[in-house]
Amino acid sequence: MTGKVLILGGHGRFGGHVAQAFWNAGWKVALFRRGASLSAAAEGADVIVNGWHVPYPRWEAEMPALTDRLIDAARSSGATILQPGNVYVFGEGAPELLGTDTPQRARNRLGRVRIEMEERLRDSGLPVILLRAGDFLDDQPSGNWFDKVMVRDLRKGTLTWPGNPAIPHAWAWLPDLAEAARMLADRRAELPRFADIPFPGFTLSGQEIAVHLGHIVGRDIAIRPLRWWMLQLARPVWGTAGGLLEMRYLWDMPHRLDPAPLATLLPEFRPTPVDEALRRATAHLTAGTGSRTPADAAAPRRAA
């Protein structure tokens, strides 16, 4: 089941990959342009993908109003909302396996904002696909944790890790996440009104990632702890540092996303092997490739 999809934030990490996945599957892809009328842009859309990226310091001020705009546009057009979710809602001390029925008990600022956003979507009564994932791994350098901080010194044989390197952490390979989102959109008529679906991705500790990277670069990879004190010093002048510090607990809390719901809904989905994903995620360091973002190479440039 194809149709027309409107992408909000189509030049971002998630939005760019999702636009490419929908385009490749034969959908008509439209990118929302800043300053345009969202309701007008959503006219005739079957699915609206919320790929808007809001920096941490502006979450409380902007996300509620943006969510309300999204709901209004979907209500007027009759579109299904496709919303990426994260693990912030569960809070510190959550169980290791995070799934559809896991209680959302976050008490920190960013976690509460995400809980309230999801409640708005659920209470809207509109068809919503919420695809919940861990930290992103991208196939181009895009300024996320992994490429900006963790593998920055990979050429020197070093992996920088923000917490206990023995603790498993949830990751999402963006091309796979985008393809799963597209496949779920194809089956939107078969899903519950509010479909909260975990995306299992990869569950990898720092030690495991170091082993994989060692195979890729052909040398042993040492693990170096992140200097969190530097973020503390930067906090007064760099607002994002506060959000990173707030979510620090995730690097010392073992967690993984339940694979069962997605396997039931999409039994034909085949994830990329972890070695291939990490090879592509570090290709700009190991092979000297360019630093284009997904949107530079993706179908949005061709989309109407």
Side-chain angles (χ1 to χ4, degrees), residues 29-290:
V29 179
L31 303 186
F32 179 69
R33 292 171 174 81
R34 185 178 299 178
S37 165
L38 182 53
S39 293
E43 186 175 349
D46 299 288
V47 174
I48 302 175
V49 176
N50 185 8
W52 272 331
H53 171 70
V54 180
Y56 280 156
R58 306 207 308 259
W59 274 29
E60 287 175 294
E62 297 184 16
M63 284 184 68
L66 290 175
T67 304
D68 287 343
R69 288 179 64 196
L70 170 64
I71 290 170
D72 290 343
R75 195 181 304 281
S76 66
S77 67
T80 295
I81 295 171
L82 201 161
Q83 173 69 52
N86 60 28
V87 301
Y88 293 12
V89 297
F90 301 116
E92 192 168 2
E96 182 171 345
L97 182 65
L98 304 174
T100 301
D101 298 325
T102 303
Q104 298 188 357
R105 293 174 176 166
R107 293 292 176 263
N108 61 306
R109 177 179 59 94
L110 296 179
R112 289 305 309 172
V113 170
R114 295 295 300 205
I115 289 174
E116 291 166 9
M117 182 199 71
E118 293 186 16
E119 288 175 346
R120 271 180 156 83
L121 293 172
R122 186 181 291 107
D123 294 344
S124 72
L126 297 171
V128 175
I129 302 170
L130 190 142
L131 187 57
R132 192 181 308 283
D135 276 328
F136 291 166
L137 289 170
D138 207 341
D139 62 358
Q140 297 286 343
S142 56
N144 61 12
W145 261 109
F146 187 76
D147 64 66
K148 192 172 184 179
V149 175
M150 301 175 70
V151 296
R152 182 183 58 188
D153 294 325
L154 184 60
R155 288 192 180 100
K156 301 177 183 178
T158 300
L159 171 69
T160 300
W161 195 256
N164 183 337
I167 287 179
H169 189 88
W171 297 92
W173 175 236
L174 271 171
D176 284 355
L177 181 65
E179 182 62 11
R182 192 276 305 168
M183 293 171 72
L184 290 168
D186 282 347
R187 300 183 182 182
R188 59 194 180 278
E190 307 165 22
L191 299 177
R193 197 70 172 170
F194 186 88
D196 181 348
I197 304 166
F199 179 78
F202 306 129
T203 304
L204 296 167
S205 68
Q207 293 171 346
E208 289 170 325
I209 289 181
V211 170
H212 285 291
L213 293 177
H215 294 158
I216 291 168
V217 301
R219 62 180 294 183
D220 289 340
I221 302 297
I223 300 175
R224 178 178 64 192
L226 177 69
R227 301 173 188 173
W228 284 98
W229 61 267
M230 296 180 69
L231 291 181
Q232 293 281 9
L233 291 177
R235 191 170 190 166
V237 295
W238 184 39
T240 299
L244 297 175
L245 288 161
E246 185 178 326
M247 302 312 301
R248 178 177 178 176
Y249 73 87
L250 282 171
W251 298 100
D252 291 308
M253 186 185 87
H255 62 281
R256 58 190 176 92
L257 286 148
D258 186 2
L262 192 72
T264 299
L265 290 168
L266 302 178
E268 73 279 22
F269 175 74
R270 295 292 180 267
T272 302
V274 63
D275 276 338
E276 180 183 340
L278 288 172
R279 188 180 304 278
R280 290 169 61 187
T282 56
H284 63 291
L285 296 172
T286 59
T289 58

